Amino acid sequence: MAASKRTDVGLLVGAVDQGTSSTRFLVFDSKTAELLCHHQVEIKQEFPKEGWVEENPKEILLSVYECIDKACEKLQRFNIDLSDVKAIGITNQRETTVVWDRVTGEPLYNAVVWLDLRTQSTVENLSKRIPVNNNFVKTKTGLPLSTYFSAVKLRWLLDNVESIQKAVEEGRALFGTVDSWLIWNLTGGAEGGVHCTDVTNASRTMLFNIHSLKWDKELCEFFQIPMNILPNVRSCSEIYGLMKAGALEGVPISGCLGDQSAALVGQMCFQDGQAKNTYGTGCFLLCNTGRKCVFSEHGLLTTVGYKLGRNKPVCYALEGSVAIAGALVRWLRDNLGIISSSEEIEKLAKEVGTSYGCYFIPAFSGLYAPYWDPSARGIICGLTQFTNKCHLAFAALEAVCFQTREILDAMNRDCGIPLSHLQVDGGMTNNKVLMQLQADILCIPVVKPTMPEITALGAAMAAGAAEGVGVWSLDPEDLTAFIEERFEPQINAEESEVRYSIWKKAVTKSMGWVTTEASESGDPSIFSSLPLGFFVVSSMVMLIGARYISGIP
């Protein structure tokens, strides 16, 4: 006999978390913030040329449908009625650029991922057109001109993909970041889909004025982007449309935030000066600056934090962006094969408890904050005959922590009041060795909620709180406080400073590896542009290949 329907859950909110390496759908109880179930699908990345990173937009969309269907099956096995799901939020990898045909619904090219470096010459050419005494691009957007952001990726697509050029000429092309692509398809696609984005994702395109909260005509003219292909900009919390298919057909999609803003909301950083650091494919430290735009003098970005309703005020944030964090672990697994799963890195690092003087600079996509140097490439310094894969694993985790130290130092200088502790979230925070290392290197406590799905939670909160849904209260008195795990520093500050200073020395050696011509052509035969990873891998094969990769002691 079937079990009776669960009566210990309230109204539910789902969240699509579409990240760089995977897609997930998660379902939360709106009253307790309890995670009831989830499903995850890994996303394949494509690397057509050196420095190019792409994903298939149709694979991304299908992964969302699969995750929703599988999670709903789990709910039904728990005897939870799907009609209890009252809203869906979306959070996504930011800056990743998609162009598709509004008539056929087909993508016109692969999604160009935020990590992609093909646009370096585009950036250099555009930089020459910005007056030295009037950097209107940064003033309006809060962003440095960089390969990171969507406008230069879109400019490259318009210059190089004939099908996109033709679709623009014929009025068939639509542009969006991943959130726009998903919302358009989930609300009907070519049959009436809603073409929109939210203010947080719009603020990462470099076409959006973060002061007026509108697409900016001067910016669009500068990048030569036709404004008719851009999505409508909405708040982070309102009903955009209804699901048109699948197990949750008819449920409103009512929350949308870029992943780092979603984590800021999920961590409940609603007060000025509150900050969080998310450890995912990259690493992103955001500090809420309230209704004031704070422009950094130390290499950080000024961005939109959130706007939780059409009639709600916008809140801004300072952001430090690191390109490679969890992606480094994936590289050790997929490219070098020294670990068979991402979880194994913690075990290897714990075995030795030190990098034995080995330092890893994972500048696979150049260096982001605070350097903004696209010519940098990854290096490993300090190798000896004693170095083994355990030391490399430890050095990789240390690299994530050192990068966070750099952006935290910059944020402390910009804000004037050093953080007394760091709130953290993201998949990598399950690694206790990493979290302890982070506390040691920062010399402040690291605080992690025991409920790790903070990014998805933020999207669910925004969706559930939307006008017309109203199942999630954002009143501070009503918000659920999480049980937290705290990591205190265990080494003295002097030792931390010595290790950090050596890291900084290694960073300088990673810069200036790639010429513009090489980054555009992707030709690895050009000596001046060879990524140092080539030399590193060669030396590693000689040094540790047969012994350690094969597991021979």
Side-chain angles (χ1 to χ4, degrees), residues 20-22 40-45 47 281 325-345 348 360 364 389 392-393 396 540 549:
T20 315
S21 57
S22 71
Q40 181 170 2
V41 173
E42 190 165 311
I43 298 295
K44 179 184 177 184
Q45 294 177 0
F47 308 95
T281 297
L328 177 54
V329 178
R330 188 169 178 171
W331 183 80
L332 291 174
R333 183 194 72 185
D334 296 345
N335 291 37
L336 295 192
I338 69 172
I339 56 174
S340 57
S341 68
S342 298
E343 293 74 24
E344 191 179 340
I345 193 170
L348 291 181
F360 208 142
F364 299 158
K389 64 181 180 181
L392 288 177
M540 286 177 63
I549 294 176

Side-chain angles (χ1 to χ4, degrees), residues 257-289:
L257 304 101
D259 50 10
Q260 302 314 316
S261 289
L264 196 69
V265 172
Q267 285 273 26
M268 293 176 255
C269 294
F270 294 131
Q271 302 298 317
D272 295 13
Q274 290 184 313
K276 67 85 202 173
N277 197 33
T278 299
Y279 300 75
T281 297
C283 199
F284 303 90
L285 178 58
L286 268 69
C287 180
N288 188 335
T289 62

Side-chain angles (χ1 to χ4, degrees), residues 384-413:
T384 71
Q385 286 182 310
F386 184 74
T387 307
N388 64 34
K389 64 181 180 181
C390 296
H391 300 120
L392 288 177
F394 194 95
L397 296 183
E398 258 191 333
V400 175
C401 299
F402 284 130
Q403 290 179 106
T404 297
R405 166 74 186 268
E406 288 191 299
I407 57 178
L408 183 65
D409 284 356
M411 193 162 286
N412 285 339
R413 290 195 293 271

Side-chain angles (χ1 to χ4, degrees), residues 389-456:
K389 64 181 180 181
C390 296
H391 300 120
L392 288 177
F394 194 95
L397 296 183
E398 258 191 333
V400 175
C401 299
F402 284 130
Q403 290 179 106
T404 297
R405 166 74 186 268
E406 288 191 299
I407 57 178
L408 183 65
D409 284 356
M411 193 162 286
N412 285 339
R413 290 195 293 271
D414 278 325
C415 294
I417 304 174
L419 291 179
S420 60
H421 66 278
L422 183 65
Q423 293 175 232
V424 300
D425 58 84
M428 291 188 81
T429 62
N430 292 322
N431 187 321
K432 292 184 182 298
V433 172
L434 174 70
M435 292 294 94
Q436 186 58 56
L437 269 174
Q438 189 67 89
D440 291 344
I441 289 168
L442 296 181
C443 300
I444 59 173
V446 168
V447 180
K448 172 200 166 189
T450 54
M451 204 293 286
E453 305 297 348
I454 294 298
T455 301

